[in-house]
Amino acid sequence: MTGALFRWMVREEWRLHSHLFGWARFGAFPLVIAVLTGLGTWLLSVTGTAPDAVAGGLIALVGFFGLQVGTIGLVGRDALRDVLGDVTLLVFSARTLPLSWRRLLATFLLKDICYYTGFVLTPAVVGYGVVAVASELPPESVALLWVAVVAAFAFGASLSLALVGLASRSVGALGGLAVAVTSAVLLLNVDPIAYTPYALYADPSAGGAVRGLLPTFLFAAVGLALFEPVDDGSSSRRRATERLFTGIADPLTRRPLLSVARSSGSVGKVAFSMGVLFAVTALLLGEITAATGIRPHSGVAFGTLLGLGAFTTYSWVTQFEGQRTYLRYPVGYDAVFAGGLRAYLVLSLSTAVGYLAVATLWYPATRLVVGLLVVPGVAVYVFGVSAYVTGLSPNELLFDTVLFALFGGALAALAVPLLVAALVVSAAPVAAVGGAVALSALAGTVGLWLCRHAGPRWEKRLRTT
Amino acid sequence: MPAIETTNLTRRFGDVTALDGLSLSVESGALFGLLGPNGSGKTTTIELLTGQREPSSGSASVAGHDPVTEPMAVKEAIGILPEREDPPSFLTPREYLTFVGEVREIDDIDERIETWAERLEFGGVVDALATGLSEGERQRVMLAAAFLHDPELVFIDEPLVNLDPIMQEQVKAVLADYCERGNTLFLSTHYVDVAAELCTHVGIVENGELVAECDPREMSEDELLEYFIAEVGGERAEVRT
């Protein structure tokens, strides 16, 4: 029966994407992924980056992607409905059919891994592989990377499931786990990377395979055992958050904040999404230092990546709004986006400041202060680009080739110079830091301009189509 | 042996008691209506009896199985149509019903799909994506899914809510025919006229408590309405005109 369920779920996923985004745009998506990855690999090789470092970065990115997919897909029915609109999926058949929730969830997870392997992961490895093989890297290393990348996606999605499952049972247990992992890393010098699929790529032995793959099975088992699609709407934590937002006078700011607070995962999902990026950034900073001896500027790097990661907050803030909802109200879309921006800044900046404070445990506070200056500009830019390009439906980026390329290009235009500034800080510290702060301020101004023009643009578009 | 039997079934959500000590017995072949205003505990009752939720206390037997310890056995034996449940958006009705047939291991699934599509008049959209169907069409597909394996007991939450008057009459005929063949139907509704017209037995719930039981065949629709209003305090009764 599981085989039939899997086949129907794959068919459903294909239909969903091709229906929402159109055959041509959706069909071109793997090609775009391959081209972008190939271009990125080539550019990095031109700058002297070792192929193994590029492969490591790709594994980390895919792991992050798996976490995000897992977070969105597994936090509950309302979250899926908010992401995809008013849709019903086979994964929710447990109410009416003799199928256990665990069987449905396990099949759903397996389907996601296979589906994204076909449409995203394999094209990405092909893009990398073309450049790598042209640079005389053995094809076996590309095949190994493919295995590691698929495993990294499964690792991310399973970790999401396990963390959400644990949090649904006991927030205290989740906190305890975080403390235990942090303690193991700091006090016992345990290298967490050695227990991820990267270990399989770095050490393709039986030991590397066990260390690289076993945690994924463990996370999946824990997640499937613990995850319950329950609504924790009555929790005191959520009520306290709601009270905080209920007092906000502006209804267009209050509405998205309350929607986020009252939906599955409450404001915790914002912290989780940005926390994943924070952890990846911290790991990458350590890896870059270990591999190259360069110490990137932690403030610029955290400020940039947390600001970019605020895109997930944009998604949470807007996902409860239909594109056309506000056409029914006597309110302009410029005011809607302005209210959304305020809600977005409340959530994303407070979260980013929190993570920068956590980062002071490892990095000098004097450097992280720069992050406080960089993150607002980057975050406002991300909001402006998202609002202008996608309106109130940021999830259309998922598989819309044109929007994806536009959005990716706009973000890269800011991210690349900022990250270069973070890397060259030892050569020209004042210019690098000053340039990063100035650039983020300029980006913030551009973001505000885009935000102001997003309202009229979308209002006109929605009224004429 | 009763098709459904509950003893002091109770479900609390935090400080709120959604169902408070429900004890009832539904005989095989009955068309039992659980009648009550919005928020009175009808949907919670169906969720407990079909193994979708576990009770805070009390016990139940459904089709000879315990929904707490044997939820899969209950779901295999019965059909369920919850309120506001749609077929998967990106499958066609035919594909969804085929999937249901595979899960329930039905051999002659193609013939059954044709039969139900004709009976509930969704043959014209049987190969269209569910996301493009009207609410009434989606509800008819879900009705077919609930009856597809020819179960002896079916639970339906608000059976007529999205249907036009003509289709309401056809669905009523389907439900009556189903019970005349010795099967049991448990439906919840807040429409008195639906309970009066269809049901052989009615239980009235208010604030999570079963406050009365009656046989609607022994009274007129108006009498049932007066009885219902008297039992629920007359404040939240809903009567369709």
Side-chain angles (χ1 to χ4, degrees):
Chain A
M1 189 195 296
T2 303
L5 189 57
F6 177 82
R7 281 199 312 279
W8 283 109
M9 281 187 171
V10 169
R11 183 184 291 203
E12 178 184 57
E13 189 85 7
W14 166 260
R15 284 270 180 72
L16 186 153
H17 290 131
S18 56
H19 179 82
L20 288 180
F21 307 119
W23 287 91
R25 286 187 162 199
F26 178 51
F29 194 75
L31 187 66
V32 170
I33 291 286
V35 170
L36 286 179
T37 315
L39 268 177
T41 306
W42 176 73
L43 280 172
L44 286 167
S45 68
V46 168
T47 59
T49 310
D52 276 351
V54 179
L58 190 59
I59 292 170
L61 272 175
V62 167
F64 176 67
F65 177 54
L67 274 167
Q68 291 295 333
V69 167
T71 313
I72 292 173
L74 301 170
V75 292
R77 187 171 191 163
D78 65 329
L80 265 185
R81 185 171 56 237
D82 297 330
V83 171
L84 300 170
D86 192 12
V87 302
T88 304
L89 300 177
L90 282 172
V91 72
F92 301 120
S93 300
R95 289 175 80 188
T96 54
L97 295 173
L99 291 166
S100 72
W101 171 245
R102 284 201 178 89
R103 181 196 286 256
L104 285 163
L105 197 56
T107 312
F108 187 76
L109 185 64
L110 188 65
K111 178 268 301 172
D112 261 0
I113 293 167
C114 295
Y115 192 83
Y116 285 101
T117 293
F119 279 91
V120 179
L121 310 185
T122 302
V125 175
V126 166
Y128 167 89
V130 168
V131 179
V133 171
S135 310
E136 298 181 354
L137 235 67
E140 303 87 69
S141 70
V142 179
L144 181 63
L145 177 66
W146 182 82
V147 176
V149 158
V150 173
F153 181 83
F155 178 89
S158 302
L159 179 58
S160 267
L161 178 63
L163 292 177
V164 174
L166 193 60
S168 71
R169 297 300 179 108
S170 165
V171 176
L174 187 65
L177 180 69
V179 169
V181 171
T182 308
S183 303
V185 172
L186 292 180
L187 303 177
L188 303 175
N189 286 326
V190 172
D191 178 11
I193 302 295
Y195 297 94
T196 68
Y198 181 74
L200 176 65
Y201 181 76
D203 172 22
S205 63
V210 170
R211 281 187 286 111
L213 299 179
L214 195 59
T216 300
F217 290 106
L218 187 68
F219 292 145
V222 169
L224 290 172
L226 296 182
F227 187 83
E228 290 281 354
V230 293
D231 177 17
D232 61 346
S234 60
S235 77
S236 56
R237 209 161 24 93
R238 182 179 290 191
R239 282 199 297 270
T241 312
E242 285 180 24
R243 275 197 295 276
L244 194 67
F245 295 151
T246 308
I248 293 173
D250 174 37
L252 294 173
T253 307
R254 188 174 65 238
R255 176 174 157 145
L257 285 172
L258 281 175
S259 297
V260 172
R262 286 172 176 164
S263 55
S264 296
S266 191
V267 293
K269 56 183 172 266
V270 175
F272 183 78
S273 297
M274 288 182 73
V276 168
L277 197 67
F278 171 74
V280 169
T281 308
L283 288 172
L284 283 177
L285 286 178
E287 290 298 310
I288 288 170
T289 304
T292 64
I294 297 172
R295 288 181 67 85
H297 193 287
S298 50
V300 175
F302 275 118
T304 302
L305 290 171
L306 285 172
L308 292 174
F311 170 69
T312 55
T313 309
Y314 184 82
S315 181
W316 295 124
V317 164
T318 54
Q319 68 179 261
F320 306 96
E321 313 289 6
Q323 283 275 38
R324 308 183 70 85
T325 299
Y326 286 100
L327 290 176
R328 297 195 289 267
Y329 298 107
V331 58
Y333 271 62
D334 50 346
V336 172
F337 282 111
L341 175 61
R342 287 188 287 272
Y344 163 88
L345 290 177
V346 165
L347 293 171
S348 63
L349 291 189
S350 59
T351 309
V353 168
Y355 282 121
L356 284 170
V358 172
T360 58
L361 292 172
W362 295 280
Y363 299 95
T366 47
R367 286 199 158 203
L368 292 169
V369 166
V370 177
L372 287 177
L373 299 175
V374 170
V375 76
V378 178
V380 171
Y381 178 78
V382 167
F383 186 96
V385 170
S386 307
Y388 197 83
V389 173
T390 69
L392 295 172
S393 297
N395 294 295
E396 287 192 7
L397 285 172
L398 283 173
F399 286 105
D400 188 313
T401 307
V402 176
L403 286 186
F404 181 80
L406 259 176
F407 183 78
L411 258 54
L414 176 63
V416 171
L418 281 176
L419 292 176
V420 167
L423 288 169
V424 302
V425 74
S426 55
V430 176
V433 172
V437 172
L439 184 58
S440 67
L442 178 64
T445 309
V446 172
L448 281 177
W449 186 90
L450 287 170
C451 180
R452 283 209 187 96
H453 287 78
R457 176 175 189 259
W458 280 97
E459 193 165 340
K460 184 175 181 187
R461 185 181 236 190
L462 292 168
R463 291 180 67 194
T464 53
T465 53
Chain B
M1 186 172 124
I4 302 167
E5 192 153 36
T6 73
T7 308
N8 287 324
L9 206 58
T10 300
R11 184 57 155 96
R12 285 181 284 274
F13 296 95
D15 300 333
V16 178
T17 302
L19 196 64
D20 193 1
L22 177 75
S23 296
L24 62 80
S25 179
V26 178
E27 293 302 317
S28 294
L31 204 164
F32 184 89
L34 196 60
L35 185 63
N38 294 324
S40 57
K42 303 186 299 295
T43 297
T44 301
T45 302
I46 288 188
E47 287 177 343
L48 295 179
L49 294 179
T50 55
Q52 297 176 54
R53 284 187 195 278
E54 293 188 9
S56 305
S57 61
S59 62
S61 169
V62 175
H65 301 283
D66 183 337
V68 176
T69 58
E70 306 168 276
M72 282 303 130
V74 169
K75 286 187 201 177
E76 280 169 12
I78 65 172
I80 314 168
L81 176 54
E83 192 181 13
R84 292 192 304 270
E85 189 77 5
D86 288 334
S89 305
F90 297 98
L91 296 182
T92 65
R94 188 190 301 282
E95 288 172 338
Y96 175 58
L97 295 174
T98 303
F99 164 74
V100 172
E102 287 179 11
V103 169
R104 293 197 177 277
E105 298 177 351
I106 300 170
D107 292 330
D108 55 341
I109 186 66
D110 293 338
E111 290 82 354
R112 292 194 192 202
I113 291 171
E114 293 303 327
T115 303
W116 280 101
E118 188 179 340
R119 192 177 291 173
L120 294 175
E121 295 185 10
F122 59 83
V125 294
V126 76
D127 292 313
L129 283 188
T131 189
L133 305 189
S134 69
E135 284 193 21
E137 286 167 337
R138 280 183 254 160
Q139 176 143 349
R140 279 179 266 162
V141 173
M142 292 309 291
L143 263 171
F147 287 96
L148 200 64
H149 56 302
D150 213 7
E152 292 178 2
L153 171 60
V154 173
F155 289 83
I156 305 182
D157 201 350
E158 298 294 358
L160 307 177
V161 74
N162 290 316
L163 304 176
D164 62 56
I166 296 171
M167 187 46 63
Q168 284 186 15
E169 292 307 312
Q170 283 176 256
V171 169
K172 285 178 192 171
V174 167
L175 300 182
D177 173 63
Y178 171 76
C179 288
E180 279 169 14
R181 286 186 280 121
N183 300 308
T184 312
L185 191 63
F186 185 105
L187 65 85
S188 87
T189 183
H190 56 268
Y191 293 124
V192 174
D193 58 331
V194 172
E197 187 177 345
L198 284 178
C199 298
T200 56
H201 296 83
V202 164
I204 297 174
V205 280
E206 165 73 344
N207 292 328
E209 290 184 51
L210 185 68
V211 293
E213 283 187 82
C214 64
D215 184 343
R217 293 168 299 183
E218 293 175 354
M219 55 181 79
S220 69
E221 186 179 320
D222 287 344
E223 286 170 335
L224 178 61
L225 175 61
E226 284 173 20
Y227 185 69
F228 175 69
I229 289 173
E231 292 298 337
V232 301
E235 293 173 2
R236 288 188 288 155
E238 187 163 342
V239 185
R240 297 191 302 172
T241 54

